[in-house]
């Protein structure tokens, strides 16, 4: 989703007001939109269905460590992908400043070395699906991926519930050249 409007409000509500039900519902939609999981109702609860063969692409799911309360976007993904969730696989090495509002260079510096793998045996040789709530500049995802790769992960693929859309970079227009035949 684009990180604006009701999606932005939902992510912020989940992040700062401990609304795990909202995180689970966003995770269900992430499973559907990113991985093609069918969604069914079980009572009043939305549940994603297993996506056959998806476990061939990933060996485990690792969430970006939450700065506050745990969120739960990843719970529906474990059901849809059929791979284990390692919620404590990444830890923080230090507290970091909130990223919101920081320019790119400060975001990169803020998260450099801020994450570590807590149990390298769970990560070594694995294809990791890294889950976050929002990817803006990618600084946090890159720092987490670096920690996972340094601990021996075979590969890391990041996915998020929402992302910021950047305006396209203006390209100079060049006149078309015709062949001189």
């Amino acid at each position: 989703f684009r990180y604006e409007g009701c999606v932005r409000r939902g992510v912020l509500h989940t992040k700062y007001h401990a609304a795990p039900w909202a995180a689970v519902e966003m995770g269900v939609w992430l499973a559907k939109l990113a991985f093609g999981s069918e969604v069914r109702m079980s009572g009043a609860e939305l549940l994603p269905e297993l996506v056959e063969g998806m476990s061939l692409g990933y060996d485990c799911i690792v969430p970006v460590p939450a700065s506050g309360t745990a969120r739960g976007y990843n719970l529906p993904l474990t059901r849809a992908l059929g791979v284990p969730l390692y919620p404590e696989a990444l830890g923080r090495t230090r507290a970091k400043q909130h990223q919101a509002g920081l320019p790119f260079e400060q975001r990169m510096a803020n998260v450099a070395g801020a994450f570590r793998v807590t149990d390298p045996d769970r990560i070594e040789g694995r294809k990791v699906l890294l889950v976050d709530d929002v990817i803006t500049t990618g600084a946090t995802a890159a720092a987490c991926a670096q920690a996972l790769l340094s601990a021996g992960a075979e590969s890391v693929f990041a996915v998020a519930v929402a992302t910021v859309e950047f305006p396209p970079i203006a390209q100079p227009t060049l006149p078309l050249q015709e062949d001189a035949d």
Side-chain angles (χ1 to χ4, degrees), residues 15 63-72 87 90 92 96 115 131-133:
K15 191 180 266 197
V64 170
S67 54
T69 56
R71 295 186 197 119
L90 276 175
R92 294 184 182 275
K96 66 175 185 62
F115 302 99
V131 181
D132 202 357
D133 53 4

Side-chain angles (χ1 to χ4, degrees), residues 5-166:
C6 65
V7 171
R8 183 176 185 276
R9 287 189 302 276
V11 168
L12 292 174
H13 183 73
T14 300
K15 191 180 266 197
Y16 299 116
H17 299 290
W21 56 270
V24 170
E25 190 163 324
M26 285 184 206
V28 167
W29 284 104
L30 180 59
K32 178 177 179 53
L33 297 173
F35 299 102
S37 176
E38 293 297 322
V39 178
R40 68 176 174 83
M41 290 296 291
S42 177
E45 185 179 6
L46 288 172
L47 294 175
E49 294 291 325
L50 179 67
V51 179
E52 292 299 328
M54 195 52 78
S55 61
L56 297 175
Y58 309 102
D59 296 317
C60 62
I61 297 171
V62 174
V64 170
S67 54
T69 56
R71 295 186 197 119
Y73 302 113
N74 42 45
L75 298 175
L77 291 178
T78 62
R79 181 180 178 94
L81 303 181
V83 296
L85 169 66
Y86 298 147
E88 306 297 326
L90 276 175
R92 294 184 182 275
T93 59
R94 58 182 164 74
K96 66 175 185 62
Q97 179 181 352
H98 284 291
Q99 296 281 79
L102 295 177
F104 178 73
E105 295 79 14
Q106 285 182 321
R107 284 175 178 251
M108 293 300 288
N110 189 34
V111 295
F115 302 99
R116 65 177 171 74
V117 172
T118 58
D119 186 356
D121 290 339
R122 285 195 150 178
I123 298 304
E124 189 173 355
R126 303 218 181 208
K127 295 173 275 190
V128 177
L129 178 63
L130 180 67
V131 181
D132 202 357
D133 53 4
V134 179
I135 294 178
T136 52
T137 62
T140 300
C144 289
Q146 184 59 52
L148 290 161
L149 291 168
S150 294
E154 178 182 319
S155 63
V156 179
F157 183 82
V159 67
V161 172
T163 187
V164 172
E165 185 170 304
F166 292 98

